[in-house]
Amino acid sequence: MLPRSKFLLCNRYKFPSTVPRIFNTPSIHTYQKSPPPANLPDSPLFYPGRTSMLRMEEFYNSTLSTDLMILSYKDPESEQKFIEKRRKEHLPIKKSVLTRDTNPFAINRPPPKPRGNKKRLPVPPEQSHETIPKLLRIDVHCMIKEAIHNKQHLLSGIMALQCITSERPTVVYSKIGVAQWKLRQGMPIGCKVSISGPPMYTFLDKLVEIVLPRMKEWHGIPITSGDQNGNIAMGFPASALSLFPDIEGNYDMFPLMTGFDVIFNTTAYTDYEGRMLLSGFQIPFTTRKKDPHARAAYFLRKYGPRLAIFYAIRNHAKIVTKETAEAMISSGAIVSRNLAQRLIKDYLERQPSEYFRCCWT
Amino acid sequence: MSNHFFYRSTLSTTAIRGFLARSDKKSKGSPPPGMPGSQNTNITDTRYQIIKRILYETPKPELPKMTEQDLERHQTIDRAWKLFLRNQQEKRENELAAKYRMLNEANIELEKLGPRLFNSAQMGNKIMFPRQMKIPTETPPLNGWNYDYKPPSNPKESS
């Protein structure tokens, strides 16, 4: 029979590993011990506070928040429609689930999956001065492929992220193994860091003022980026890392330049509001190209010259105009006989026009 | 050596720069490029050893030893600063709340006036701030103010 104190020690609360060991000393009195508060300077977790003016934060507080409040104000009708849409409970896959309330065997079962893989997105609150979109956090993440054959490559990524964000990143382990890439489950494969407050605003400042203007062949964050709930993400190539002033100074000391991705977590409930907020911080977004030549080039690149017109009309009929078609044909799209016959059958009911006759192949 | 690290890097940049400048950057004893095993040359890259030491083996910073009076002073200053920030925050919130109230009331009045004006006043959700907006800086720009600026009127640029 163990003495009482040792019995209690066996079942004591396990502290998380991030808590420094000096607070982790065993004692029978440590039932639910939390570390001492970090607001005193003699604690290792003490954060002394901001050391300079945060331009982005002050701009948000003084100007952007008011503008965003006005721009994101919705009239009550459309606001209610949106809340109802988010609150809607989709039909479950199995009809038998609808009798869940009366079925005594269904107690404590997990909630039923919706039909058609529909997601339940967060329901926004009623709009007020407190629901203005705000930048909560930025997550910077780096996946380092070279860490598969040599774990030390991770160190370069960790150092780089620490230099950029001023916070220590954590290591990311792989969730699944892929034999083709020699990846095993549980392998350290990347690093990530989550910043909020002063480090976030300084990082944003550096990004917007220094890095993004100097990036080559980058036209902005894609307008389609977003997780349907106001969080916008984008990826950067390895060349972007060298543009940060923290890394540019010590460029030779980084053995491996990695690309990274940046996720902007906002309190917005739609992607439109998230983009509105980020555009306020002067982050550029690519706009949809309405130029017929640009569109023609896109179709030709995507589908090839033989099938460009066919797929353009089949999939994107609303945006194909006469100018677009002319631009496509002049840049090399082929109007085949079969296509012309089909078009005539579907859209025209008279003789083929001279237009089609002359570019017949 | 202690295993715990600190959430923020504590070495000053001058110390790091001195540390790194004294190191040998090139890898020692690497096999010729054609030979098998040449992919593993990075194991001997000394830069990784340096980075490892900087990240995980920096000396523990000396935490200040606070006396009773020091603690009292610190807490007074801390509370005063937090109170100042709190007052600022409350002032901002009250301003925003008042503006929102006015905005809401104006919208309700407009709705009563008629559907045409009301619908044209709604902004929609696909608007973004213009790229020409300048976030204020502490000092003016080096090139001065561009009085001859013209917004892009090129259809290709504006699309």
Side-chain angles (χ1 to χ4, degrees):
Chain A
M1 188 74 171
L2 286 167
R4 192 174 152 75
S5 56
K6 282 203 177 145
F7 183 73
L8 280 171
L9 280 175
C10 296
N11 296 332
R12 74 168 194 277
Y13 173 67
K14 280 249 187 278
F15 293 106
S17 57
T18 49
V19 175
R21 223 172 140 63
I22 50 176
F23 304 125
N24 213 353
T25 49
S27 152
I28 46 169
H29 305 294
T30 59
Y31 180 70
Q32 277 280 353
K33 193 175 183 185
S34 52
N39 61 344
L40 299 176
D42 49 8
S43 158
L45 304 172
F46 177 63
Y47 178 62
R50 60 189 65 191
T51 49
S52 64
M53 184 194 84
L54 299 168
R55 201 169 130 247
M56 292 285 173
E57 196 188 32
E58 302 224 357
F59 178 61
Y60 177 83
N61 286 335
S62 60
T63 322
L64 259 193
S65 54
T66 320
D67 291 344
L68 280 168
M69 183 172 73
I70 297 166
L71 289 174
S72 66
Y73 179 82
K74 296 180 261 303
D75 58 299
E77 204 187 303
S78 49
E79 195 210 346
Q80 278 308 313
K81 261 201 239 171
F82 179 59
I83 290 176
E84 287 309 313
K85 188 179 171 192
R86 284 279 172 99
R87 213 180 261 160
K88 184 180 173 190
E89 284 192 17
H90 300 287
L91 286 173
I93 295 174
K94 294 185 187 170
K95 270 194 189 166
S96 56
V97 169
L98 292 168
T99 54
R100 224 167 148 239
D101 298 327
T102 51
N103 186 3
F105 299 107
I107 298 168
N108 292 332
R109 275 188 197 159
K113 279 189 204 165
R115 239 186 352 190
N117 247 355
K118 290 207 166 85
K119 282 189 273 193
R120 291 267 335 253
L121 291 167
V123 180
E126 298 275 332
Q127 65 177 349
S128 73
H129 67 280
E130 285 160 357
T131 60
I132 303 170
K134 189 181 171 130
L135 192 60
L136 269 184
R137 251 196 329 271
I138 292 180
D139 297 316
V140 190
H141 163 254
C142 216
M143 200 274 282
I144 299 163
K145 239 182 1 189
E146 291 83 355
I148 295 174
H149 68 255
N150 185 359
K151 212 161 64 160
Q152 288 192 5
H153 287 297
L154 272 177
L155 291 167
S156 186
I158 294 174
M159 193 62 170
L161 285 190
Q162 188 178 287
C163 286
I164 293 175
T165 59
S166 81
E167 299 279 325
R168 176 64 65 89
T170 53
V171 175
V172 174
Y173 298 91
S174 59
K175 291 192 184 117
I176 51 164
V178 180
Q180 193 189 7
W181 301 326
K182 299 177 193 159
L183 179 74
R184 272 170 283 119
Q185 191 188 3
M187 230 173 153
I189 197 68
C191 45
K192 69 175 183 188
V193 62
S194 187
I195 44 172
S196 61
M200 173 178 79
Y201 286 112
T202 43
F203 177 76
L204 185 64
D205 207 341
K206 273 184 267 184
L207 204 70
V208 163
E209 297 295 327
I210 302 171
V211 177
L212 296 184
R214 284 159 66 182
M215 273 175 73
K216 293 199 168 63
E217 293 180 15
W218 185 76
H219 302 291
I221 300 185
I223 198 88
T224 48
S225 166
D227 70 342
Q228 308 303 317
N229 202 38
N231 302 319
I232 315 288
M234 68 159 300
F236 292 90
S239 50
L241 197 65
S242 55
L243 299 170
F244 278 91
D246 326 78
I247 292 183
E248 214 182 356
N250 290 340
Y251 186 76
D252 297 322
M253 282 301 122
F254 291 90
L256 185 71
M257 279 290 158
T258 51
F260 57 98
D261 50 65
V262 172
I263 305 164
F264 298 98
N265 289 70
T266 62
T267 58
Y269 282 89
T270 52
D271 281 349
Y272 299 110
E273 283 182 2
R275 264 175 242 133
M276 201 197 292
L277 169 68
L278 293 183
S279 67
F281 285 121
Q282 289 306 292
I283 292 171
F285 288 86
T286 50
T287 46
R288 287 192 190 90
K289 291 240 161 72
K290 295 197 180 78
D291 180 35
H293 289 277
R295 284 224 171 106
Y298 167 74
F299 286 134
L300 280 168
R301 200 173 50 238
K302 190 166 181 187
Y303 300 117
R306 289 178 64 227
L307 297 168
I309 301 182
F310 173 72
Y311 278 110
I313 295 172
R314 186 166 170 265
N315 295 341
H316 311 279
K318 283 181 194 162
I319 53 172
V320 174
T321 59
K322 189 169 174 236
E323 288 90 31
T324 324
E326 276 175 14
M328 277 206 282
I329 291 166
S330 64
S331 350
I334 298 166
V335 183
S336 65
R337 196 172 168 193
N338 184 32
L339 172 71
Q341 282 176 337
R342 279 194 72 175
L343 285 172
I344 293 158
K345 197 175 82 133
D346 291 340
Y347 293 102
L348 312 168
E349 279 157 17
R350 46 184 189 278
Q351 298 262 321
S353 62
E354 284 170 30
Y355 186 71
F356 282 110
R357 241 186 217 150
C358 62
C359 4
W360 214 304
T361 51
Chain B
M1 201 67 199
S2 59
N3 278 339
H4 58 258
F5 59 85
F6 298 95
Y7 291 103
R8 291 158 53 243
S9 66
T10 46
L11 263 187
S12 68
T13 46
T14 44
I16 292 178
R17 286 213 192 103
F19 198 27
L20 294 173
R22 274 176 256 128
S23 73
D24 187 13
K25 292 167 208 174
K26 289 191 186 143
S27 58
K28 299 169 192 165
S30 56
M35 273 192 86
S38 57
Q39 261 188 347
N40 299 335
T41 45
N42 290 330
I43 296 170
T44 57
D45 196 345
T46 43
R47 286 183 288 181
Y48 281 125
Q49 290 165 17
I50 297 160
I51 291 175
K52 200 173 182 182
R53 278 163 71 186
I54 294 169
L55 287 174
Y56 299 113
E57 291 166 38
T58 54
K60 211 162 61 163
E62 275 231 10
L63 296 170
K65 292 183 179 65
M66 310 272 284
T67 57
E68 279 291 322
Q69 290 97 341
D70 282 337
L71 271 174
E72 202 183 328
R73 278 184 216 120
H74 166 80
Q75 280 179 333
T76 315
I77 296 168
D78 204 31
R79 280 166 57 203
W81 176 242
K82 286 194 169 123
L83 184 67
F84 172 71
L85 289 177
R86 179 82 208 135
N87 289 340
Q88 269 193 336
Q89 176 76 4
E90 269 191 24
K91 190 170 140 212
R92 240 181 278 132
E93 271 175 19
N94 290 339
E95 266 185 37
L96 272 179
K99 281 180 188 164
Y100 179 80
R101 220 180 311 126
M102 293 285 113
L103 176 64
N104 205 16
E105 282 166 18
N107 217 47
I108 289 166
E109 286 295 321
L110 191 62
E111 197 172 4
K112 289 178 192 160
L113 282 180
R116 192 180 69 87
L117 282 171
F118 177 71
N119 289 327
S120 60
Q122 301 313 317
M123 306 259 357
N125 55 7
K126 289 176 186 160
I127 10 148
M128 294 205 291
F129 285 87
R131 287 282 294 125
Q132 290 85 21
M133 182 174 78
K134 183 178 185 290
I135 301 176
T137 50
E138 277 181 85
T139 52
L142 290 169
N143 303 330
W145 185 258
N146 183 10
Y147 289 99
D148 303 319
Y149 173 76
K150 282 190 182 60
S153 57
N154 199 354
K156 241 190 188 173
E157 262 181 44
S158 62
S159 61

